[in-house]
Amino acid sequence: MPNLSDPKLISGNANKPLAEAISRRMSMHRGMSVGLVDARVERFNDGEIFVEMFENVRGEDVFIIQPTSNPANDNLMELLIMADALRRSSAQRITAVIPYFGYARQDRRTKARTPITAKLVANMLVEAGIERILTMDLHAAQIQGFFDIPVDNLYASPIFALDIMTNFKDQMGDVMIVSPDVGGVARARELAKRINAPLSIVDKRREKPGEIAEMTIIGSVEGKTCIIVDDICDTAGTLCKAAEVLIENGAKEVHSYITHGVLSGPAVERVTKSVMKSLVITDTIEATKPVQDAPNIRIVPTAPMFAQATLNIWNGTSVSSLFEMETLGPIYEGLYTV
């Protein structure tokens, strides 16, 4: 049965522009104002985080919008402390909207005496009082099983499909989707199926961690407009090298669609100087000034999808319906015309 009270949104400091965009979209979808809860999330002089709500949340359905991006530890602690404050204020249900789930790359023990930090973070979130998770493109889908609470994992591929069909509509016959490694084949295949495009794979072999010894292209990319698809771009070294190998193998041009633009260290400079014609990322992580100023980096919005997913959770309707073009198309109407 739909909740009778209005949804309450609260934002930490990790990505306030996205939180405000989600708030605006929810207001548009509902036809009435859905504002962010008036609160302060501050730090004492020694760096300790302090949270105070200035609105009554007793018995309310509250959504905390907070990606755990850089600085990951600070943003994670903000999320945990906000959840604790809401739980102690008698919120009816606390849902964490985590557009980018940090520590997701530590999802298994790759060698002896190492942690599974993704599981540790899952335990902390549940212990803090969070009762549901809404996120996008988890690095490893099995992380959903680390939680004993419902996890809704949204996918960026439907948004990317709309963007590709809009921006490459005159050359769809030449488009080829490329997975930058064997582990990302499922993600790339899903997008290729959506736009009815062929699939290629970059097989990379490492002699030691952090160094790519060799890259081999599986599939013919001769004369193709190659689109590399992945969930995370950190330092962009592998991505830029893959683009070079594709061009060397006869690709006409290379573009990349990445869900989470971590883009740390020399990433922006590498992308700017690379053979890639464009890198498309989402706004799950707030873009820095260098990212915004980069001539070949473009940002697509996730607020319409997160806003509708939040409303669906609030009123008890399907979230998975957002994976279908028939449902997502109207939500992005005005941004894309396919």
Side-chain angles (χ1 to χ4, degrees), residues 26-338:
M26 286 179 67
S27 300
M28 289 172 58
H29 293 171
R30 292 200 69 210
M32 60 186 295
S33 178
V34 179
L36 296 174
V37 169
D38 187 15
R40 62 173 174 149
V41 182
E42 298 177 348
R43 281 163 176 73
F44 294 120
N45 290 334
D46 64 352
E48 284 187 13
I49 297 166
F50 175 74
V51 173
E52 182 179 8
M53 318 287 174
F54 298 114
E55 295 182 25
N56 180 26
V57 294
R58 183 179 296 274
E60 300 285 0
D61 197 357
V62 186
F63 297 81
I64 308 172
I65 303 170
Q66 177 80 342
T68 51
S69 49
N70 184 39
N73 299 332
D74 287 356
N75 289 331
L76 176 59
M77 280 304 300
E78 279 190 14
L79 175 57
L80 295 171
I81 293 170
M82 284 190 288
D84 185 73
L86 291 167
R87 180 169 58 101
R88 295 176 187 276
S89 302
S90 301
Q92 182 186 56
R93 181 176 66 173
I94 304 168
T95 301
V97 181
I98 311 175
Y100 170 68
F101 188 89
Y103 286 108
R105 285 175 281 184
Q106 299 182 46
D107 63 317
R108 65 195 184 281
R109 298 186 72 192
T110 56
K111 57 182 73 173
R113 297 174 296 281
T114 58
I116 304 179
T117 318
K119 173 58 177 170
L120 173 63
V121 171
N123 290 344
M124 289 193 295
L125 293 172
V126 174
E127 189 63 28
I130 291 167
E131 299 169 65
R132 193 180 194 104
I133 303 289
L134 175 63
T135 187
M136 176 171 278
D137 273 354
L138 282 171
H139 183 63
Q142 64 266 23
I143 291 175
Q144 295 173 80
F146 292 180
F147 292 88
D148 293 323
I149 58 175
V151 177
D152 293 300
N153 183 30
L154 302 178
Y155 300 105
S157 60
I159 306 172
F160 288 164
L162 287 172
D163 193 272
I164 291 168
M165 289 188 290
T166 299
N167 289 284
F168 296 89
K169 59 184 177 183
D170 295 331
Q171 47 184 318
M172 286 302 295
D174 294 330
V175 167
M176 172 172 275
I177 301 299
V178 179
S179 172
D181 52 45
V182 175
V185 170
R187 181 182 297 106
R189 186 191 295 120
E190 203 271 338
L191 178 57
K193 184 178 178 181
R194 283 182 181 275
I195 64 173
N196 195 27
L199 176 67
S200 182
I201 303 167
V202 177
D203 178 34
K204 61 185 179 186
R205 301 180 185 181
R206 299 179 189 268
E207 291 184 347
K208 58 183 179 179
E211 291 188 9
I212 301 166
E214 182 184 354
M215 280 188 168
T216 306
I217 306 298
I218 302 174
S220 175
V221 297
E222 185 77 35
K224 296 290 187 180
T225 299
C226 291
I227 297 178
I228 302 172
V229 180
D230 208 354
D231 63 324
I232 296 174
C233 177
D234 192 348
T235 59
T238 300
L239 186 67
C240 293
K241 177 64 176 175
E244 291 175 11
V245 173
L246 288 167
I247 292 294
E248 290 169 5
N249 279 263
K252 184 167 60 176
E253 55 187 54
V254 179
H255 304 262
S256 294
Y257 278 74
I258 310 292
T259 306
H260 308 297
V262 177
L263 298 175
S264 59
V268 175
E269 183 181 359
R270 282 175 175 169
V271 170
T272 303
K273 294 179 178 179
S274 75
V275 297
M276 276 189 299
K277 295 197 71 173
S278 70
L279 167 62
V280 179
I281 59 175
T282 73
D283 56 358
T284 56
I285 297 173
E286 185 175 4
T288 60
K289 187 68 164 58
V291 172
Q292 294 173 357
D293 293 342
N296 59 341
I297 299 179
R298 185 162 56 86
I299 302 171
V300 297
T302 58
M305 179 180 271
F306 274 112
Q308 190 61 54
T310 300
L311 285 172
N312 288 5
I313 290 171
W314 168 71
N315 62 29
T317 55
S318 171
V319 173
S320 61
S321 63
L322 296 174
F323 305 158
E324 303 301 326
M325 289 293 191
E326 293 77 9
T327 307
L328 195 67
I331 296 172
Y332 276 84
E333 191 173 6
L335 292 171
Y336 300 114
T337 53
V338 180

